[in-house]
Amino acid sequence: MKKLFTLIIGLAAGLQLNAADLESSVTFTETGGSTGAIDLIVNGGVAPYVFSWTGPDGYSASTEDISGLEYGMYTVTVTDKYCGIAVLEVFVDSSSSSSISEFSEINEIEIYPNPTSNIIYVQSQSKVDIEVYSLAGELVLRKDNTQSIDISEQESGSYLIKLIHPEGIISRQIIKL
């Protein structure tokens, strides 16, 4: 019986939720408005999940996806069935870009490797503009019309990467080793 207990704990530990399991797509807000939205995607852990969002001016929510958002940084803490916790910060900008759901090609984009110590590659059908932000929302790197970006000069930690196409934007968290 002791071996069965060890196996169950081992399996649960392998399913542990972490920051790399969270992705988001963002619909920007109209300048001066509250029309932004964040579609959160959880790719790990074990359901059910508990969501806790915070944002500008005391914003809070407990749903997976949020809308009616103004410009600013939003933070979600996700807790899974086994109390695994992951945190993601998502920046909602003011822009005239269209909704990510209207751009089907961007839903097929892959970013790899994650985590990495130097170059992040973007696998997509077309080149994109890449912006890398600190979790404080500071732009630290930008490269236009590309499919890779070198983050080797950045400090170790978590960053938000934005892939920008004329028809949409997708944000993902990356970890620099």
Side-chain angles (χ1 to χ4, degrees):
M1 195 65 155
K2 185 176 182 180
K3 288 183 182 182
L4 179 60
F5 180 69
T6 303
L7 176 62
I8 291 171
I9 289 176
L11 287 173
L15 299 174
Q16 185 174 359
L17 183 68
N18 62 59
D21 294 327
L22 302 180
E23 298 178 8
S24 66
S25 62
V26 178
T27 301
F28 288 155
T29 188
E30 294 175 8
T31 302
S34 295
T35 58
I38 300 172
D39 177 16
L40 183 67
I41 303 145
V42 181
N43 294 314
V46 177
Y49 303 104
V50 175
F51 304 94
S52 178
W53 287 94
T54 59
D57 300 324
Y59 178 88
S60 66
S62 59
T63 57
E64 180 174 351
D65 301 326
I66 55 177
S67 59
L69 307 177
E70 63 185 51
Y71 173 91
M73 184 66 74
Y74 293 81
T75 303
V76 63
T77 302
V78 180
T79 307
D80 76 352
K81 179 178 180 175
Y82 296 111
C83 298
I85 297 174
V87 177
L88 179 66
E89 290 187 322
V90 182
F91 187 73
V92 175
D93 204 348
S94 295
S95 176
S96 60
S97 295
S98 63
S99 169
I100 194 72
S101 62
E102 296 172 15
F103 181 44
S104 61
E105 182 181 319
I106 205 159
N107 291 323
E108 298 174 12
I109 287 180
E110 290 187 40
I111 300 172
Y112 62 94
N114 189 12
T116 188
S117 57
N118 50 35
I119 297 176
I120 293 286
Y121 296 96
V122 177
Q123 180 178 341
S124 71
Q125 294 178 7
S126 62
K127 292 184 178 181
V128 296
D129 295 344
I130 301 174
E131 294 180 347
V132 179
Y133 290 85
S134 70
L135 291 185
E138 177 186 350
L139 177 65
V140 295
L141 287 172
R142 179 179 170 89
K143 190 172 178 186
D144 295 333
N145 198 29
T146 187
Q147 289 187 306
S148 67
I149 193 163
D150 185 352
I151 63 169
S152 61
E153 299 296 317
Q154 302 305 311
E155 293 182 24
S156 296
S158 294
Y159 292 86
L160 178 68
I161 188 168
K162 284 170 116 177
L163 307 175
I164 304 164
H165 185 280
E167 297 182 39
I169 296 175
I170 191 164
S171 297
R172 301 257 171 87
Q173 185 172 6
I174 59 170
I175 298 172
K176 163 64 167 65
L177 300 174

